[in-house]
Protein backbone atom coordinates (compact mmCIF):
# COMPACT_ATOMS: atom_id res chain seq x y z
CA UNK A 1 0.00 0.00 0.00
CA UNK A 2 1.24 3.49 -0.84
CA UNK A 3 1.65 5.22 2.53
CA UNK A 4 1.37 8.67 0.90
CA UNK A 5 -2.30 8.08 0.03
CA UNK A 6 -4.75 9.70 2.42
CA UNK A 7 -8.55 9.78 2.48
CA UNK A 8 -9.89 13.03 1.00
CA UNK A 9 -10.92 15.94 3.23
CA UNK A 10 -14.57 15.53 2.17
CA UNK A 11 -14.50 11.84 3.08
CA UNK A 12 -12.83 12.57 6.42
CA UNK A 13 -15.55 15.18 7.12
CA UNK A 14 -18.08 12.31 7.16
CA UNK A 15 -16.44 11.04 10.37
CA UNK A 16 -19.22 13.02 12.10
CA UNK A 17 -21.66 10.30 10.98
CA UNK A 18 -19.94 7.45 12.87
CA UNK A 19 -22.37 5.71 15.22
CA UNK A 20 -25.95 4.49 15.27
CA UNK A 21 -28.80 6.83 14.36
CA UNK A 22 -32.56 6.55 14.90
CA UNK A 23 -34.33 7.81 11.77
CA UNK A 24 -37.84 9.30 11.74
CA UNK A 25 -39.93 11.07 9.11
CA UNK A 26 -40.66 9.57 5.70
CA UNK A 27 -38.72 6.47 6.76
CA UNK A 28 -38.39 4.92 10.21
CA UNK A 29 -35.63 2.75 11.63
CA UNK A 30 -31.90 2.81 12.25
CA UNK A 31 -28.73 3.39 10.30
CA UNK A 32 -25.21 2.72 11.52
CA UNK A 33 -21.99 4.16 10.10
CA UNK A 34 -18.52 2.70 10.63
CA UNK A 35 -15.12 3.02 8.98
CA UNK A 36 -13.66 0.17 7.03
CA UNK A 37 -10.04 -0.45 8.10
CA UNK A 38 -7.80 2.15 6.46
CA UNK A 39 -10.58 4.79 6.63
CA UNK A 40 -10.84 5.06 2.84
CA UNK A 41 -14.43 3.77 2.92
CA UNK A 42 -17.35 4.51 5.22
CA UNK A 43 -19.90 1.72 5.57
CA UNK A 44 -23.57 2.39 6.31
CA UNK A 45 -25.83 -0.41 7.56
CA UNK A 46 -29.55 0.28 7.06
CA UNK A 47 -32.67 -1.17 8.71
CA UNK A 48 -35.62 0.98 7.66
CA UNK A 49 -39.34 0.85 7.00
CA UNK A 50 -40.67 3.00 4.15
CA UNK A 51 -44.20 2.98 2.70
CA UNK A 52 -44.93 -0.15 4.75
CA UNK A 53 -41.95 -2.07 3.36
CA UNK A 54 -38.97 -3.31 5.38
CA UNK A 55 -35.67 -2.36 3.75
CA UNK A 56 -32.29 -3.61 4.88
CA UNK A 57 -29.08 -2.82 3.09
CA UNK A 58 -25.63 -1.41 3.16
CA UNK A 59 -23.78 1.41 1.48
CA UNK A 60 -20.08 1.80 0.69
CA UNK A 61 -19.01 5.46 0.67
CA UNK A 62 -15.64 6.75 -0.57
CA UNK A 63 -13.67 8.37 -3.36
CA UNK A 64 -13.64 6.36 -6.58
CA UNK A 65 -10.19 5.16 -7.56
CA UNK A 66 -10.37 2.95 -10.65
CA UNK A 67 -7.50 0.54 -11.21
CA UNK A 68 -4.29 2.39 -12.02
CA UNK A 69 -5.81 5.87 -11.66
CA UNK A 70 -5.72 8.56 -8.96
CA UNK A 71 -8.67 8.96 -6.59
CA UNK A 72 -11.49 11.19 -7.80
CA UNK A 73 -12.43 14.34 -5.90
CA UNK A 74 -16.11 13.53 -5.27
CA UNK A 75 -17.29 11.17 -2.54
CA UNK A 76 -19.42 8.52 -4.29
CA UNK A 77 -21.40 5.69 -2.79
CA UNK A 78 -23.31 2.64 -3.89
CA UNK A 79 -26.23 1.38 -1.82
CA UNK A 80 -27.41 -2.24 -2.05
CA UNK A 81 -30.76 -3.21 -0.53
CA UNK A 82 -32.93 -6.22 0.22
CA UNK A 83 -35.33 -5.32 -2.58
CA UNK A 84 -32.62 -5.63 -5.26
CA UNK A 85 -31.81 -1.95 -5.75
CA UNK A 86 -28.32 -0.62 -6.38
CA UNK A 87 -28.40 3.15 -5.95
CA UNK A 88 -25.53 5.59 -6.49
CA UNK A 89 -25.08 8.81 -4.53
CA UNK A 90 -22.58 11.66 -4.16
CA UNK A 91 -21.96 12.97 -0.62
CA UNK A 92 -21.15 16.66 -0.34
CA UNK A 93 -20.31 17.87 3.19
CA UNK A 94 -20.07 21.64 3.73
CA UNK A 95 -19.59 22.59 7.38
CA UNK A 96 -22.76 21.56 9.23
CA UNK A 97 -24.66 20.95 5.96
CA UNK A 98 -24.71 17.57 4.24
CA UNK A 99 -26.07 17.15 0.74
CA UNK A 100 -26.52 13.63 -0.63
CA UNK A 101 -27.15 13.71 -4.36
CA UNK A 102 -29.18 10.88 -5.93
CA UNK A 103 -26.79 10.01 -8.74
CA UNK A 104 -24.40 12.71 -9.92
CA UNK A 105 -23.80 16.02 -8.13
CA UNK A 106 -26.49 18.50 -9.17
CA UNK A 107 -29.14 15.80 -9.63
CA UNK A 108 -32.80 16.84 -9.13
CA UNK A 109 -33.05 14.07 -6.47
CA UNK A 110 -31.18 14.88 -3.27
CA UNK A 111 -31.16 15.13 0.52
CA UNK A 112 -29.99 18.32 2.21
CA UNK A 113 -29.74 18.37 5.97
CA UNK A 114 -28.08 20.23 8.81
CA UNK A 115 -26.19 18.78 11.75
CA UNK A 116 -27.20 20.40 15.06
CA UNK A 117 -27.17 19.50 18.76
CA UNK A 118 -23.39 19.08 18.83
CA UNK A 119 -23.53 16.91 15.71
CA UNK A 120 -26.06 14.50 17.23
CA UNK A 121 -29.05 15.47 15.08
CA UNK A 122 -29.24 15.55 11.28
CA UNK A 123 -32.49 17.03 9.98
CA UNK A 124 -33.40 17.83 6.41
CA UNK A 125 -35.45 16.99 3.36
CA UNK A 126 -35.31 14.42 0.59
CA UNK A 127 -36.36 16.14 -2.65
CA UNK A 128 -37.49 14.15 -5.70
CA UNK A 129 -37.78 15.30 -9.32
CA UNK A 130 -41.25 16.46 -10.26
CA UNK A 131 -42.19 17.09 -6.60
CA UNK A 132 -42.47 14.86 -3.62
CA UNK A 133 -39.98 13.77 -1.04
CA UNK A 134 -40.15 13.90 2.74
CA UNK A 135 -38.65 15.42 5.88
CA UNK A 136 -36.20 13.23 7.79
CA UNK A 137 -34.65 13.52 11.25
CA UNK A 138 -31.80 11.30 12.43
CA UNK A 139 -30.68 11.34 16.06
CA UNK A 140 -27.49 9.64 17.23
CA UNK A 141 -28.35 6.94 19.78
CA UNK A 142 -24.87 5.39 20.15
CA UNK A 143 -21.28 6.22 19.22
Amino acid sequence: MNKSLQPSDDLQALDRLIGTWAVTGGVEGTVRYEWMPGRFFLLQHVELRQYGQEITGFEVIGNLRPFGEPAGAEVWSRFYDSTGNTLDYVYEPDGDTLTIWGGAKGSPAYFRGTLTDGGNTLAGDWVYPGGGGYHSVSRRVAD
Side-chain angles (χ1 to χ4, degrees):
M1 179 172 112
N2 183 341
K3 300 252 185 225
S4 66
L5 293 176
Q6 296 293 321
S8 73
D9 290 343
D10 279 351
L11 182 60
Q12 291 180 58
L14 298 179
D15 190 63
R16 298 175 76 181
L17 299 177
I18 296 299
T20 301
W21 299 75
V23 181
T24 59
V27 298
E28 307 280 329
T30 61
V31 298
R32 179 175 51 88
Y33 292 91
E34 66 179 339
W35 286 111
M36 196 172 140
R39 296 176 61 103
F40 284 95
F41 296 98
L42 185 63
L43 305 176
Q44 179 185 199
H45 306 272
V46 173
E47 294 181 13
L48 299 172
R49 182 170 189 80
Q50 183 176 32
Y51 308 122
Q53 182 174 22
E54 298 290 330
I55 300 170
T56 59
F58 69 93
E59 184 175 19
V60 180
I61 305 163
N63 298 96
L64 298 181
R65 188 171 61 187
F67 184 74
E69 297 180 26
E74 293 180 338
V75 177
W76 280 88
S77 77
R78 173 149 295 168
F79 177 73
Y80 303 87
D81 75 19
S82 56
T83 65
N85 291 310
T86 57
L87 306 172
D88 294 330
Y89 298 95
V90 171
Y91 279 66
E92 184 182 16
D94 183 13
D96 289 334
T97 300
L98 176 61
T99 303
I100 304 171
W101 300 98
K105 191 173 179 178
S107 165
Y110 63 90
F111 168 82
R112 183 164 292 128
T114 304
L115 285 156
T116 60
D117 185 30
N120 290 313
T121 301
L122 176 62
D125 296 293
W126 281 98
V127 175
Y128 297 141
Y134 59 89
H135 188 70
S136 178
V137 177
S138 298
R139 289 185 176 82
R140 187 187 320 267
V141 295
D143 291 334

